[in-house]
């Protein structure tokens, strides 16, 4: 039976990794699978990315990293507080981005207690004033990291930065960030560090700023087919991996002037059929998309009528008495004419990342093209 589901085409992930690597001379690609692989299932996306040549994984915390440690590639985490359990042997193999002097001290203490040398990436703030080390402290950070390396507590395997305007053509910001990054790398090397991985480029810069690639790309959104600049994926050669769908659970006839849904503030303009789709804002549909977004039902786009409710949404079927049980596609790759997640993001005044990461666990994940991956407990083969 058809149920509400997020179908994830892992062949699209494979395609996207190949596409992203083909546009770059960078040797390595770190596949960012934070927030459960942008809602697609971290292990499944990671497995497909590794099979396609990704050489590492990236997430936020030690807790996000731990379940991925058995996949056979280094896992980097970059958002651990100073008080994180750096001494825990279970996560001693997770690579950690170090973002301040206090943070470095905490990581060193943890390594001393766990007895495991910690692989770290020194993370410099290249202009976002968000995460990363304040450039004022960079020389000291590098010098102390080198001292800890000599003592056997650390190995500095990377230097990283992050671009704040990678989603547009804002060359001026790019250039400034890139200069800060290369200067930071020079300082690190000058102080005796030899990082193997230099990484500044996430999806946006991977797609359109080759000068910022260095030797390692660090991409998340692009893996699952999102271009952060808002360009439809197909235009930049990416394939969206996710399709959100559900059965139409009920169909009814309405006459002009009747109201649909909460608030009684949407009246239908003419007689016809409406269909009920069992997905609402608690399933990740942005409520701001009410009364104007579209879904794909029975071979056509159908407009959402009235407010999107917590669990359900009504669509206008016009003259078509669609059979209950028919598939309603909220968004998909767009190949059949169905809306894309990019369109849903625009209808909801947000970005595709937020739509995808907002789809909760109650919407089943179905992974297609799983191949030799058998590690996810909700993996299904192509039907
Ligand atoms: C999320 C994140 C990425 C991935 O960015 P995308 O634009 O999704 O490719 C890379 N680096 C850091 C530090 C991040 O937080």
């Amino acid at each position: 039976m058809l149920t509400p589901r997020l179908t994830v085409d892992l062949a699209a992930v494979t395609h996207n990794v190949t596409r992203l690597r083909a546009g770059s001379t960078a040797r390595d690609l770190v596949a960012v699978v934070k927030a459960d692989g942008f809602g697609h299932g971290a292990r499944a996306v990671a497995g497909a990315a590794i099979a396609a040549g990704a050489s590492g994984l990236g997430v936020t915390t030690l807790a996000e990293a731990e379940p991925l440690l058995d996949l056979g590639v280094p896992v980097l985490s970059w958002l651990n507080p100073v008080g994180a359990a750096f001494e825990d042997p279970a996560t001693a193999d997770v690579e950690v981005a170090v973002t301040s002097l206090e943070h470095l001290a905490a990581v060193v203490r943890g390594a001393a207690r766990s007895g495991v040398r910690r692989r770290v990436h020194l993370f410099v703030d290249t202009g976002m004033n968000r995460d990363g080390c304040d450039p004022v402290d960079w020389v000291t950070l590098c010098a102390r990291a080198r001292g800890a390396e000599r003592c056997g507590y650390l190995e500095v395997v990377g230097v990283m930065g992050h671009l704040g305007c990678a989603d547009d053509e804002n060359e001026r910001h790019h250039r400034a960030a890139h200069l800060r990054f290369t200067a930071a790398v020079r300082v690190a090397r000058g102080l005796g560090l030899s990082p193997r991985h230099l990484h500044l480029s996430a999806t946006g810069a991977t797609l359109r700023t080759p000068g910022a690639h260095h030797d390692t790309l660090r991409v998340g959104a692009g893996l699952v087919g999102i271009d952060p600049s808002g360009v439809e994926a197909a235009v930049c050669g990416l394939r969206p991996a996710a399709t959100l769908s559900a059965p139409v659970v009920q169909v009814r006839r309405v006459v002009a002037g009747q109201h649909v849904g909460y608030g009684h503030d949407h009246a239908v303009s003419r007689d016809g059929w409406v269909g009920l789709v069992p997905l609402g804002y608690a399933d990740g549909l942005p409520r701001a998309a009410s009364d104007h977004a579209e879904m794909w039902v029975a071979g056509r786009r159908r407009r959402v009528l009235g407010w999107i409710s917590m669990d359900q949404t009504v669509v206008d079927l016009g003259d078509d008495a669609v059979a209950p049980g028919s598939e309603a596609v909220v968004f998909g790759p767009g190949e059949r004419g169905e809306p894309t997640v990019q369109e849903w993001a625009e209808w909801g005044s947000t970005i595709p990342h937020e739509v995808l990461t907002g789809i909760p666990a109650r919407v089943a994940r179905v992974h297609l093209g799983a191949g030799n991956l058998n590690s996810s407990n909700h993996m299904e083969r192509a039907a």
Side-chain angles (χ1 to χ4, degrees):
M1 204 207 43
L2 215 51
T3 52
R5 60 183 57 187
L6 188 76
T7 306
V8 177
D9 176 11
L10 295 173
V13 176
T14 306
H15 167 89
N16 293 333
V17 171
T18 306
R19 155 74 186 90
L20 292 159
R21 292 183 78 212
S24 178
T25 56
R27 179 191 65 226
D28 291 315
L29 183 144
V30 170
V32 178
V33 293
K34 61 188 181 184
D36 200 24
F38 290 58
H40 294 62
R43 284 186 72 84
V45 172
I50 292 165
S55 50
L57 300 172
V59 293
T60 57
T61 57
L62 296 175
E64 262 193 333
E66 186 173 0
L68 304 171
L69 280 171
D70 63 345
L71 292 176
V73 297
V75 185
L76 163 64
S77 73
W78 52 71
L79 205 59
N80 296 295
V82 167
F86 294 119
E87 73 288 351
D88 181 358
T91 50
D93 284 336
V94 176
E95 298 186 356
V96 167
V98 169
T99 59
S100 71
L101 299 174
E102 304 73 45
H103 200 223
L104 180 72
V107 171
V108 168
R109 275 196 306 276
R113 286 175 56 189
S114 73
V116 181
R117 179 197 299 235
R118 176 75 73 177
R119 285 186 302 276
V120 303
H121 298 241
L122 301 183
F123 184 177
V124 63
D125 178 10
T126 47
M128 286 181 79
N129 288 305
R130 191 187 68 167
D131 41 359
C133 177
D134 188 328
V136 168
D137 291 330
W138 184 251
V139 173
T140 313
L141 185 76
C142 290
R144 290 190 188 169
R146 179 64 187 135
E149 201 173 52
R150 283 180 195 282
C151 296
Y153 295 124
L154 304 179
E155 184 188 355
V156 177
V157 298
V159 172
M160 64 186 277
H162 194 52
L163 295 168
C165 301
D167 55 347
D168 63 28
E169 304 291 332
N170 201 329
E171 279 301 325
R172 189 169 55 85
H173 290 300
H174 271 175
R175 266 201 299 279
H178 190 249
L179 286 175
R180 284 191 201 103
F181 184 69
T182 49
V185 171
R186 218 175 300 122
V187 168
R189 290 206 169 118
L191 288 165
L193 297 169
S194 19
R196 294 192 291 282
H197 298 288
L198 306 180
H199 42 119
L200 179 62
S201 294
T203 301
T206 295
L207 288 172
R208 47 187 75 77
T209 315
H213 288 181
H214 298 277
D215 55 59
T216 302
L217 307 168
R218 201 178 61 237
V219 298
L223 300 177
V224 295
I226 304 168
D227 179 346
S229 70
V231 173
E232 281 290 357
V235 176
C236 52
L238 296 175
R239 268 169 57 190
T243 299
L244 179 62
S245 63
V248 175
V249 289
Q250 199 180 6
V251 173
R252 72 173 67 233
R253 182 99 188 144
V254 291
V255 297
Q258 282 185 320
H259 293 93
V260 172
Y262 279 121
H264 284 262
D265 46 13
H266 179 83
V268 290
S269 55
R270 64 186 192 92
D271 299 2
W273 296 92
V274 299
L276 180 64
V277 178
L279 288 169
Y281 57 79
D283 303 294
L285 304 192
R287 190 166 178 273
S290 294
D291 209 37
H292 64 289
E294 293 167 0
M295 296 187 192
W296 180 260
V297 183
R300 281 182 52 191
R301 286 186 175 220
R302 316 285 181 167
R303 204 170 69 92
V304 168
L305 289 177
W307 290 107
I308 292 171
S309 304
M310 183 182 291
D311 317 296
Q312 44 191 305
T313 301
V314 175
V315 293
D316 184 355
L317 298 173
D319 295 329
D320 302 330
V322 167
S326 301
E327 183 186 44
V329 178
V330 178
F331 59 76
E335 285 154 7
R336 288 178 285 178
E338 77 276 20
T340 61
V341 68
Q342 182 65 49
E343 289 182 272
W344 266 89
E346 282 159 22
W347 289 325
S349 302
T350 179
I351 56 175
H353 314 54
E354 188 181 11
V355 176
L356 289 167
T357 57
I359 300 170
R362 81 170 181 180
V363 178
R365 267 57 172 179
V366 177
H367 293 101
L368 304 182
N372 56 0
L373 290 170
N374 53 13
S375 43
S376 168
N377 57 15
H378 46 228
M379 193 81 77
E380 285 181 25
R381 297 298 158 92

